[in-house]
């Protein structure tokens, strides 16, 4: 029997992860055809992020992405239907179109594990088998095996498709696009299309924006749970700048921008460094999570056109260094003590920051070192230098 794969999603934007998963499904399941079906409006996230491309533009990007793959085609079925795109309706319509074929509805593990919460799951499995992309993480294996057994007991065929592709979400992709380093994750031609059509802010002029314009952009690039921290850091940096006669505007900008790349996953931090031509020291390679300070400073400089003062304050906000500038000290301390921080000793730090900035900085560094020691983690050489310099 002919076997046809159905792979739905918002594809906002389509990236190489989607394409490689599709190819793996074709190979692993011996599909004669795989249909990529962009959702008009996905049920799980009924609203796409602001400034998303239109449904037609997402369809067009998918067509470009799939152009070189003979077994992969793009279906505009859900776009023509409009409204919320329910898989049960799509599968039913596909069954009518290909009555003699076995349909395989492809999905990620999260979707598979929550399959019962979909609209009419019983309708779906009447018309299709399920294909589940899994990464082979030890943690998820028992849950998947259990769910598969459950479904099979109900007579549903479940195929597991090993997916070796690096996990990258569309949200991450959109951030990489904003930071102008998404190229290597996009199928050929897609980046050109994105640029030509000015999608995802790839042509936005973000240099030297006034604070009112800068803030909403920064907030749109952060994880929502980090926004309060960043605003708190901005306010604290401004207060400290006033106290210690630093440039208040620079302090506000460094405060709001200091964690601008924090939402980028560890391995993708390395991608950012590559894209910006930055060579890394051994410590950074071992601890890619600490890289957000460096990558944040590069984004502040190249994407937002910030001055050297702001850029270096962002670069050293997690580690400090020897010979820190006034603004570097302020951002380091503000990051540590902003109003949302709560840990033993924070009150003392808050007091010191307004009476003796160097003492506050020293206390912050010492607490960090203590914390790293407890965790058995390495201390960055820059932090050691900073402490030696303060103790000189
Ligand atoms: Fe940070
Ligand atoms: Fe921070």
């Amino acid at each position: 029997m002919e076997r046809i794969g159905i792979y739905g999603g918002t594809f906002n934007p389509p990236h190489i992860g989607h394409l490689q998963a599709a190819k793996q499904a074709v190979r692993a399941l011996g599909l004669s055809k795989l249909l990529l079906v962009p959702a008009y409006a996905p049920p799980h996230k009924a609203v796409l992020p602001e400034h998303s491309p239109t449904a037609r533009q997402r369809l067009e990007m998918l067509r470009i992405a799939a152009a070189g793959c003979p077994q992969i085609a793009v279906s505009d079925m859900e776009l023509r239907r409009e409204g919320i795109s329910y898989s049960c309706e799509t599968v039913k319509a596909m069954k009518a179109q290909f009555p003699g074929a076995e349909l395989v509805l492809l999905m990620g593990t999260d979707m598979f594990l929550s399959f019962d919460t979909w609209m009419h799951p019983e309708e779906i499995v009447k018309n299709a088998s399920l294909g589940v992309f899994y990464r082979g993480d030890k943690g998820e294996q028992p849950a998947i095996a259990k769910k598969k057994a459950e479904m099979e007991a109900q007579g549903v065929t479940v195929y597991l498709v090993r997916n070796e592709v690096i996990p990258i979400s569309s949200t991450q992709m959109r951030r990489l696009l904003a930071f102008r380093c998404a190229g290597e994750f996009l199928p050929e031609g897609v980046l050109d299309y994105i640029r030509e059509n000015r999608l995802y802010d790839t042509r936005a002029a973000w240099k030297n924006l006034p604070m009112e314009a800068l803030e909403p952009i920064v907030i749109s690039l952060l994880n929502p749970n980090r926004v309060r921290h960043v605003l708190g850091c901005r306010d604290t940096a401004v207060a400290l700048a006033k106290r210690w006669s630093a440039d208040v505007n620079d302090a506000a900008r460094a405060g709001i921008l200091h964690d601008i790349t924090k939402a980028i996953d560890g391995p993708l931090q390395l991608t950012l460094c590559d894209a910006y031509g930055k060579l890394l020291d051994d410590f950074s390679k071992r601890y890619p999570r600490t890289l957000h300070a460096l990558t944040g400073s590069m984004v502040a400089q190249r994407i937002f056109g910030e001055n050297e003062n702001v850029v270096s304050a962002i670069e050293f906000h997690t580690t400090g260094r020897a010979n820190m500038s006034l603004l570097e000290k302020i951002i380091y301390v503000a990051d540590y003590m902003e109003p949302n921080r709560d840990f033993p000793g924070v009150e003392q730090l808050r007091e010191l920051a307004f009476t003796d900035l160097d003492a506050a900085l020293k206390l912050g560094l010492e607490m960090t070192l203590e914390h790293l020691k407890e965790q058995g983690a390495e201390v960055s050489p820059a932090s050691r230098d900073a402490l030696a310099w303060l103790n000189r």
Side-chain angles (χ1 to χ4, degrees):
M1 197 199 292
E2 189 191 16
R3 194 180 277 166
I4 297 174
I6 303 171
Y7 184 5
T10 48
F11 302 107
N12 182 25
H15 54 72
I16 54 161
H18 296 129
L19 205 59
Q20 297 199 18
K23 287 179 186 170
Q24 273 164 347
V26 167
R27 240 177 291 135
L29 303 177
L31 304 176
S32 57
K33 191 193 321 229
L34 182 145
L35 292 164
L36 297 166
V37 191
Y40 182 77
H44 299 278
K45 29 188 165 178
V47 187
L48 290 181
E50 240 187 303
H51 308 300
S52 285
T54 64
R56 285 282 146 198
Q57 287 172 322
R58 288 186 283 116
L59 178 82
E60 196 49 40
M61 285 189 280
L62 262 185
R63 286 196 170 132
I64 294 168
C69 317
Q71 286 111 326
I72 301 177
V74 182
S75 162
D76 65 355
M77 177 181 283
E78 295 187 352
L79 268 51
R80 278 188 280 111
R81 204 165 64 222
E82 298 193 348
I84 293 182
S85 308
Y86 291 112
S87 298
C88 53
E89 292 175 33
T90 302
V91 168
K92 199 163 137 195
M94 289 282 184
K95 192 70 191 174
Q97 205 176 330
F98 306 103
E102 178 194 1
L103 300 179
V104 183
L105 183 65
L106 296 155
M107 64 192 71
T109 46
D110 293 357
M111 289 285 129
F112 176 57
L113 294 175
S114 63
F115 186 70
D116 297 335
T117 67
W118 292 28
M119 183 69 97
H120 299 307
E122 73 290 346
E123 285 281 318
I124 296 176
V125 296
K126 226 175 5 180
N127 293 314
S129 307
L130 305 184
V132 182
F133 293 117
Y134 81 108
R135 294 184 212 289
D137 301 346
K138 283 226 170 70
E140 64 179 16
Q141 267 169 12
I144 295 174
K146 182 166 169 256
K147 184 80 188 165
K148 183 173 187 284
E150 257 172 50
M151 305 279 300
E152 284 173 341
Q154 297 164 35
V156 180
T157 307
V158 178
Y159 303 104
L160 295 183
V161 182
R162 183 70 184 241
N163 182 9
E164 319 280 355
V165 180
I166 53 152
I168 176 165
S169 67
S170 292
T171 312
Q172 292 278 330
M173 279 303 309
R174 292 194 292 275
R175 292 190 181 114
L176 292 181
L177 278 159
F179 301 148
R180 318 279 199 274
C181 47
E184 66 174 289
F185 299 103
L186 292 169
E188 214 181 311
V190 172
L191 185 59
D192 293 335
Y193 181 88
I194 288 174
R195 284 197 182 130
E196 279 158 26
N197 292 280
R198 298 174 172 261
L199 306 177
Y200 304 108
D201 300 316
T202 42
R203 287 262 183 99
W206 282 352
K207 290 212 162 107
N208 308 308
L209 293 174
M211 204 56 185
E212 319 81 79
L214 176 64
E215 278 186 15
I217 293 172
V218 170
I219 288 171
S220 75
L221 293 166
L222 296 171
N223 272 335
N225 62 11
R226 187 149 296 269
V227 173
R228 272 173 55 202
H229 162 68
V230 162
L231 295 177
C233 185
R234 173 204 60 191
D235 293 344
T236 306
V238 166
L240 289 173
K242 285 180 182 157
R243 169 64 183 88
W244 298 108
S245 310
D247 186 306
V248 171
N249 192 38
D250 282 355
R253 300 181 77 90
I256 198 93
L257 280 164
H258 81 283
D259 277 340
I260 184 69
T261 58
K262 183 86 175 184
I264 300 286
D265 295 340
L268 293 176
Q269 293 284 346
L270 300 171
T271 301
L272 245 75
C273 293
D274 275 353
Y276 291 137
K278 194 85 188 179
L279 293 176
L280 293 178
D281 56 44
D282 288 343
F283 179 83
S284 306
K285 282 184 200 154
R286 283 199 298 280
Y287 292 90
R289 282 212 153 270
T290 63
L291 275 175
H292 78 276
L294 175 63
T295 56
S297 74
M298 297 190 296
V299 165
Q301 184 175 43
R302 300 189 200 197
I303 306 297
F304 294 100
E306 297 300 325
N307 68 37
E308 259 173 57
N309 214 8
V310 171
V311 169
S312 77
I314 297 172
E315 181 171 354
F316 298 102
H317 84 263
T318 54
T319 59
R321 63 163 167 173
N323 304 308
M324 286 172 83
S325 71
L326 177 57
L327 189 63
E328 287 171 21
K329 293 176 187 174
I330 286 175
I331 296 300
Y332 184 97
V333 172
D335 186 30
Y336 229 107
M337 63 172 255
E338 59 87 16
N340 301 291
R341 296 283 197 201
D342 186 17
F343 54 87
V346 72
E347 286 308 332
Q348 192 197 349
L349 192 76
R350 285 184 182 131
E351 247 179 71
L352 267 182
F354 287 91
T355 52
D356 185 342
L357 187 60
D358 279 358
L361 174 63
K362 195 173 149 203
L363 181 61
L365 282 160
E366 283 167 350
M367 286 194 289
T368 303
L369 254 63
E370 194 52 41
H371 178 69
L372 291 174
K373 215 164 116 191
E374 276 167 23
Q375 298 202 318
E378 255 178 286
V379 176
S380 96
S383 296
R384 285 192 193 291
D385 292 351
L387 262 181
W389 167 66
L390 285 167
N391 286 327
R392 73 200 181 281

